Amino acid sequence: SACMLLGQRDEAVREPERAGQLGRQSAGPGVSFAFAQRALLAADEADWSTTATWAQDARALVESAGLRTSLTSLPTYVACALVALHQGNVQTASIDTAIAIRLYRRPSPAAFPWLGAQMAIRIGGLLLDLGDHAGARLKATEAGRYLSVLGSGTVLLDQHRKLLADLDRMQGRRRDVGVLTAAELRILHLLPTHLSLTEIAAQLVVSRNTVKTQVAAIYRK
């Protein structure tokens, strides 16, 4: 993690493999955490086959060791969500992102500011890609609070700046497309399909009531 934070990529890439060799039989939390961080490094380079392999290995450890509610599993669900989103599986990406958000809230990475900042930035990016601009903005703000504790010298500062720039760019696009909100636009794309409101709600991981309200707002606008 230290090598990753300092931008020492080659060293950071080697360590998860060592973690797997040394701890796979007895240190599931640490090994799954290391595997997920390796997946995130690969995602940064758009090496999606490598990302998927490490993310799958991390998730297999999480599930076999009963670590679904452990803080060390937070990067695993983030990495899996990134893979699903890249593959175009929005529903799976939404589910894994929702799990990551729950772990971020509780047990929370507050005791580890670098992890809090890293995960807030990653989750913010996922939420932005999933169309939840307000949620992404909130995560960017939370990341900023952690970064203020960390100070300078980590790659997280550049990642945070990129997230803020992406948010501003998407905000400009939203102004261009009219008065529909991001959530309404997500639903609008699904309205011409065969999906019922209940099925749309399931796909977007929201309640049927929310979908019904937003559909009414779309027609009104």
Side-chain angles (χ1 to χ4, degrees):
S1 296
C3 291
M4 177 272 295
L5 290 170
L6 294 172
Q8 298 170 2
R9 186 196 173 281
D10 291 343
E11 292 86 345
V13 162
R14 284 195 293 267
E15 293 306 319
E17 296 176 5
R18 294 186 62 218
Q21 293 166 0
L22 296 170
R24 184 182 282 272
Q25 300 304 317
S26 59
V31 175
S32 60
F33 183 88
F35 284 4
Q37 291 289 351
R38 177 65 182 91
L40 294 177
L41 284 168
D44 286 340
E45 298 187 337
D47 182 353
W48 292 107
S49 61
T50 300
T51 304
T53 297
W54 285 99
Q56 289 164 6
D57 286 350
R59 189 162 199 155
L61 274 172
V62 165
E63 294 180 353
S64 65
L67 298 170
R68 293 181 183 88
T69 59
S70 171
L71 179 63
T72 56
S73 302
L74 175 53
T76 294
Y77 289 106
V78 169
C80 288
L82 284 170
V83 171
L85 200 56
H86 174 72
Q87 294 172 344
N89 194 335
V90 176
Q91 184 174 3
T92 298
S94 297
I95 292 170
D96 285 340
T97 299
I99 295 172
I101 290 171
R102 284 201 297 273
L103 290 176
Y104 183 89
R105 290 174 183 155
R106 188 175 182 181
S108 164
F112 308 95
W114 74 266
L115 182 61
Q118 183 199 31
M119 291 296 99
I121 292 167
R122 294 287 184 175
I123 294 172
L126 283 165
L127 290 172
L128 184 59
D129 288 339
L130 290 167
D132 184 355
H133 298 158
R137 182 72 67 177
L138 175 62
K139 283 292 173 281
T141 300
E142 291 172 351
R145 295 194 188 107
Y146 283 119
L147 289 171
S148 68
V149 175
L150 289 176
S152 60
T154 75
V155 299
L156 298 177
L157 289 172
D158 287 337
Q159 293 175 7
H160 187 236
R161 281 192 285 267
K162 181 181 183 304
L163 175 58
L164 291 173
D166 289 343
L167 279 163
D168 290 341
R169 185 164 58 253
M170 290 302 295
Q171 186 67 34
R173 290 180 184 173
R174 287 176 66 196
R175 283 194 292 267
D176 292 340
V177 299
V179 295
L180 294 181
T181 67
E184 290 163 358
L185 285 170
R186 288 173 66 198
I187 289 175
L188 180 62
H189 292 308
L190 296 173
L191 287 182
T193 69
H194 66 282
L195 297 175
S196 66
L197 294 187
T198 300
E199 290 168 333
I200 290 175
Q203 182 162 324
L204 297 178
V205 198
V206 297
S207 71
R208 185 183 185 282
N209 239 19
T210 297
V211 173
K212 187 176 179 181
T213 300
Q214 290 172 343
V215 167
I218 290 169
Y219 282 116
R220 186 173 63 250
K221 291 177 180 180

